[in-house]
Structure formats: structure tokens, C-alpha cells
Amino acid sequence: KAENPWFDVEHVRDSLRFKTKLAHFNQVPRLLRIIQTYGVELVKLDTRKMIAPKEWGWRFVAFDLRMPNGQLVEFYAPLRELDSATVKQPNHELFEQWRQRDLTTLTPAEKTAYERDVETSHHRYQAAYLTAIHRMGYADESAARASWIASI
């Protein structure tokens, strides 16, 4: 609530969450069309996190959806390389170690450990992202970014 004062019960959507692993950026528009054929309303589409991830490096497209019964749900779509067990599991374990911590109260040693874990996670996700964009045929991140923007 401190970070998002507008947040209230109607924004609780983690009670129902699902995902699709993307093979290619061009699948996102098709996903939107499929979702809408079932009477599901797109409330919010967040594509920015695919190109500019937050500090831990997790990249995905987030869809906030309103189901026909009014329930808000979260649907997210990472690239399959980022969601592989060898990448996501160890990164999620690192994230979970720090998730509930008040970062303003860390000791110097804890802060060093936190920064190391963030760097490890970010590096692992970045390597998986580069593998994915090369598999899709992009020479580099700039080419992938241009394609991503054009596909949305």
C-alpha cells in the first residue's frame, strides 16, 4: 500500500494466475485475439517488462484480464528460455530470500549479499534472453527490441 496507495481489494489478482511460454514475440497479438474471443476483457497490457526488466532481470508480458464473471486475473507470458527450470528456479529462490526483507535495514554484509544475488539473477535471465533472441533469428538486442515494438 505504501508503494501503491491506489491498491485495494479489486486489484487482487494473484488468486488466479496463468501463463503461456512464448516461442516468439509475434505470438502476443494472437494471444490477445484468442483471449478476446472468450469474452475476456483486457484491462492492462504491460509489454515494457519484456524489453526493460526490473532489477532481478525477469522478462515477460503481463496481461491483467477481467473474466466474464468480473474476476481479475493475471496472465503472463515469458519467453520459454527464461521460464526454463534451470533459469527460473534458481533465480526465484534468490528472489524469495529477499522478497519480504526491508532492504533499508540490511547490514553491510547483507547488502553485499543482496546485490550479489540481484546481479546473479539478472545475469542468468539476460543470458537466457540472449539465447532466445538468437534462436528467433535476431542478431542483437536492438534488432529484437525493434521487432518487439513492431509486433505489439
Side-chain angles (χ1 to χ4, degrees), residues 133 138-147:
I133 65 174
Y138 301 115
D140 56 31
E141 285 189 81
S142 295
R145 185 178 301 111
S147 174

Side-chain angles (χ1 to χ4, degrees), residues 15-123:
S15 60
L16 180 57
R17 176 190 291 176
F18 60 103
K19 73 177 173 187
T20 296
K21 294 180 184 184
L22 298 174
H24 201 283
F25 295 145
N26 64 11
Q27 293 177 300
V28 173
R30 182 165 182 247
L31 285 172
L32 285 170
R33 287 192 302 275
I34 292 169
I35 289 166
Q36 291 169 337
T37 64
Y38 289 95
V40 175
E41 174 191 353
L42 177 64
V43 175
K44 179 183 173 189
L45 175 63
D46 184 354
T47 60
R48 188 176 18 176
K49 291 177 183 135
M50 182 65 79
I51 297 301
K54 291 187 176 182
E55 76 177 322
W56 290 90
W58 177 230
R59 295 173 183 258
F60 60 100
V61 179
F63 305 78
D64 288 350
L65 307 172
R66 187 178 323 277
M67 304 308 274
N69 68 358
Q71 172 71 46
L72 288 174
V73 301
E74 181 180 270
F75 171 37
Y76 66 104
L79 291 166
R80 64 184 185 203
E81 286 84 353
L82 278 80
D83 200 49
S84 71
T86 58
V87 174
K88 188 174 180 189
Q89 183 179 349
N91 282 355
H92 193 69
E93 288 172 8
L94 291 175
F95 174 73
E96 284 297 325
Q97 289 177 24
W98 301 102
R99 180 181 215 166
Q100 301 300 324
R101 297 290 306 271
D102 178 352
L103 301 180
T104 64
T105 64
L106 298 181
T107 66
E110 290 172 325
K111 185 173 178 163
T112 299
Y114 171 79
E115 290 169 351
R116 181 192 63 236
D117 288 350
V118 166
E119 183 180 339
T120 298
S121 174
H122 200 280
H123 176 76

